Amino acid sequence: MSMDPIFRALADPVRRRLLDRLFARNGQTLGELCEGEAMTRQAVTKHLAILEAANLVVSQKRGREKLHFINPVPINEIAERWIGKFEAPRLAALAQLKRKLEGDDHE
Amino acid sequence: MSMDPIFRALADPVRRRLLDRLFARNGQTLGELCEGEAMTRQAVTKHLAILEAANLVVSQKRGREKLHFINPVPINEIAERWIGKFEAPRLAALAQLKRKLEGDDHE
DNA sequence: TGAAAAGGCAACTGAAAGGTTGCATATTAC
DNA sequence: GTAATATGCAACCTTTCAGTTGCCTTTTCA
């Protein structure tokens, strides 16, 4: 699985703010997410489509409304596979330490 | 400090690969970084300039060469301030555990 | 000292991205 | 049923971005 769409989706401040708002309150409709953004509904729709394509947001229809839910999995993947690499020593040491302390050393 | 240039810099696969290569071997020259990239030297120069603007890479001249060094600080900031939010419980627990174990609880 | 090596600068091009406008569709409420 | 609400679709415009070409400057070395 490529991480390119994830990084691309995170590159825009509008989309990061949308994720922030969904993190603050999950399951918001398109109309709710449009409030506060200084652009048309269609522009927000496109941003949400990009977030969905990156699997950062999942949507679901309820009647005439469309609910949006944040999906933390890709962000965790970035943290673990990419960003984690740059602080690998520190985090690896911590994780190993944690395992040792929990007596959970099944490697 | 805005994180926008950092996210923008990370949005391009070429720039992520350049960071990868600098992580594998730090202090490479422009010419070295051009090898393996299927584009002109000037294109790579532009990518490196974007990485420098985001403070992800620092450069230094040595004679007629330009050496490039990776700077992990902004990536850590992303990990801590933004991505960390989505896995705050886990990482916070780890950090607290670390402080406790180091007897370093000057809060 | 002069040629090769390493890199810088600036203008140009093509494609993609962000945004808008206009209209269509589906659902709810009166 | 019909009007308002919530959203979808598609064409278009404008700016940004990635990449190229051409030429210039600096440093090294024979």
Side-chain angles (χ1 to χ4, degrees):
Chain A
M1 175 237 174
S2 170
M3 322 198 57
D4 198 57
I6 305 174
F7 277 107
R8 282 211 129 80
L10 293 177
D12 191 283
V14 175
R15 293 193 286 269
R16 292 198 301 276
R17 187 167 47 241
L18 287 172
L19 283 181
D20 277 342
R21 295 174 61 189
L22 283 180
F23 182 76
R25 185 164 67 86
N26 213 5
Q28 295 190 59
T29 67
L30 173 60
E32 287 171 326
L33 290 172
C34 283
E35 298 170 12
E37 302 295 329
M39 62 189 67
T40 62
R41 172 177 55 84
Q42 285 80 357
V44 177
T45 299
K46 285 191 183 179
H47 283 298
L48 287 170
I50 292 173
L51 289 171
E52 284 199 61
N55 203 28
L56 285 162
V57 161
V58 187
S59 69
Q60 174 189 354
K61 292 216 68 173
R62 185 186 62 185
R64 64 182 159 183
E65 296 179 322
K66 189 180 184 187
L67 308 181
H68 299 81
F69 302 89
I70 197 171
N71 178 17
V73 174
I75 295 184
N76 279 332
E77 283 181 4
I78 285 187
E80 288 172 13
R81 290 197 208 167
W82 207 81
I83 294 189
K85 180 168 64 178
F86 292 93
E87 47 182 19
R90 181 162 76 85
L91 285 188
L94 275 175
Q96 195 174 8
L97 180 63
K98 188 187 178 196
R99 281 198 301 273
K100 196 172 295 182
L101 284 169
E102 293 174 345
D104 187 30
D105 52 353
H106 44 51
E107 193 48 35
Chain B
M1 174 239 173
S2 169
M3 320 196 59
D4 197 59
I6 305 173
F7 277 106
R8 283 209 129 80
L10 294 177
D12 192 283
V14 176
R15 292 193 285 270
R16 292 199 301 276
R17 186 168 47 241
L18 287 171
L19 284 180
D20 278 342
R21 295 174 59 188
L22 283 179
F23 183 77
R25 186 165 65 86
N26 212 7
Q28 295 189 60
T29 68
L30 172 60
E32 287 172 325
L33 291 172
C34 284
E35 298 170 10
E37 302 296 330
M39 62 189 69
T40 61
R41 172 177 54 83
Q42 285 78 0
V44 177
T45 299
K46 286 190 182 181
H47 283 298
L48 289 170
I50 291 173
L51 288 171
E52 285 200 61
N55 202 28
L56 285 161
V57 161
V58 186
S59 70
Q60 174 188 355
K61 291 216 69 173
R62 186 186 63 184
R64 63 181 161 182
E65 297 179 322
K66 189 180 184 186
L67 308 182
H68 298 82
F69 302 89
I70 196 170
N71 177 19
V73 175
I75 294 183
N76 279 333
E77 284 181 4
I78 285 187
E80 289 173 11
R81 291 196 208 167
W82 207 81
I83 293 188
K85 181 168 64 177
F86 293 92
E87 48 180 18
R90 180 164 76 84
L91 285 188
L94 275 175
Q96 196 176 8
L97 178 64
K98 187 188 179 196
R99 280 199 301 274
K100 197 173 293 182
L101 286 167
E102 294 175 345
D104 187 27
D105 51 355
H106 45 49
E107 192 47 30

